[in-house]
Amino acid sequence: MNGPQPKDEENDFVVFGQPQILDDEIEEVVACLRSGWIGTGPRVAQFERDFAAYKHVQHVAAVGSCSAALQLSLLAAGIEPGDEVITSALTFCSTINSIIHAGGLPVPADIDALTMNLDPGDVASRITAKTRALVPVHFAGRPCDMDALTAIATRHHLCIVEDCAHAIDAEYHGRSIGSIGDFGCFSFYATKNVTTGEGGMVMARRKEDTREVRTLALHGLDADAWQRFQGSGYKCYRAVRVGFKYNMTDLQAALGIHQLRRLPANQRRLQTIWSRYQEAFRSVPAGLPPEPGPDTRHSYHLFTLMIDEHSAIARDEFLEAMTRLGIGVGVHYPSVAEHPVYQERFGWRPEDWTVAHRVGRQTVSLPLSPKLTDAEVDRIVRAVYKVLRVT
Ligand SMILES: *Cc1c(COP(=O)(O)O)cnc(C)c1O
């Protein structure tokens, strides 16, 4: 069939994590295509400047994904083969993979049952003579307990690489998330609060660190070579590292420039939907996400329900029933020890991370996107009532 289909809000499938793409970014992508410069160029430079301004920081480097951002940050931090890197047992496998690809040994620590973020006490108990770095994940957009984690890092001379994939807009005690550790890594994947289709950003406290990330992200070429087409005459490039192909392109940045401008307005919409869910589900037999902590700003990336022993049905039945009602849902995440590849490689057993294991088996994420209409949000609420047999 050709042409736009009529919108049928009662029956259309509500896609989980649907991005909001408006005319501004569509026109920017077309302008980028017409400009003839589609690789890494002026639009990436502008997106970097805009991002740095938005986050009130100095040093940023755009890359191809948050996975690349994490890996390159750890490499720039000097992680060497066999170094242990502690991260959350409740995260996307990308966090673990990035540690492995950087040569490190991932060491999951358990989460706090209320916040779903790293439990600093459990982190402290897993430190050994080989621990070199912490990778806190600001789960769902809620900042980790950075005071406690920074104290541990200082005591043991550890580097902190923040996984900010959920938390672009978050703040902790007046500080922008990503700027508290040595590095902050952001994702612009399709479902994230700002999307470039695929993309990522590294933020670093020290200028030489983003310089190193830039070099590693573009074949290991020296920083001058990065700018070799920009004006001052052709310069022969030199590889100074065994680098990667992890650069962002102008086509991606064209999306990001406009997405970033709308972020404040989109965050307000996300907060409204989040609050509507909290209100609507106050007395349903399922666990609700924690409200934002004091003196912090939440990024409202995920709204999670815990389908537990008080609920009418099991978590996996909930997922199926919601999908049957036309509502896309997600699981963020099975605990990292549930993945066969890590069980085989590291001998992890899910029961060894008690809280992450339980949460990973109970959690479901409902759609939370600025694209959702009020009618769709109402439909999602009604579907949850129906599935959980709330009358
Ligand atoms: C999305 C995500 C990543 C990976 O981001 P990509 O840009 O897809 O590589 C890493 N960590 C967490 C917590 C994420 O949600």
Side-chain angles (χ1 to χ4, degrees), residues 69 75 89 110 157 162 202 225 238 261 269 343 378:
L75 287 171
D110 211 346
H157 309 290
E162 298 176 56
V202 173
R238 297 272 187 270
R261 282 183 198 158
R269 176 70 184 148
Q343 293 175 355
D378 288 343

Side-chain angles (χ1 to χ4, degrees), residues 65-68 70 91-92 94-95 137 163 165-166 187-189 192 198-199 333:
S65 66
C66 185
S67 306
L70 290 164
T91 185
F92 190 41
S94 154
T95 317
V137 180
D163 182 338
H166 297 182
S187 174
F188 309 122
Y189 176 65
K192 301 289 157 73
E198 297 282 3
Y333 299 95

Side-chain angles (χ1 to χ4, degrees), residues 55-56 143 147 170-177 179-180 294-297:
K55 297 290 289 179
H56 305 292
D147 282 348
E171 281 181 9
Y172 177 83
H173 300 181
R175 295 170 74 186
S176 166
I177 278 303
S179 73
I180 300 165
D295 196 16
T296 64
R297 187 160 78 205

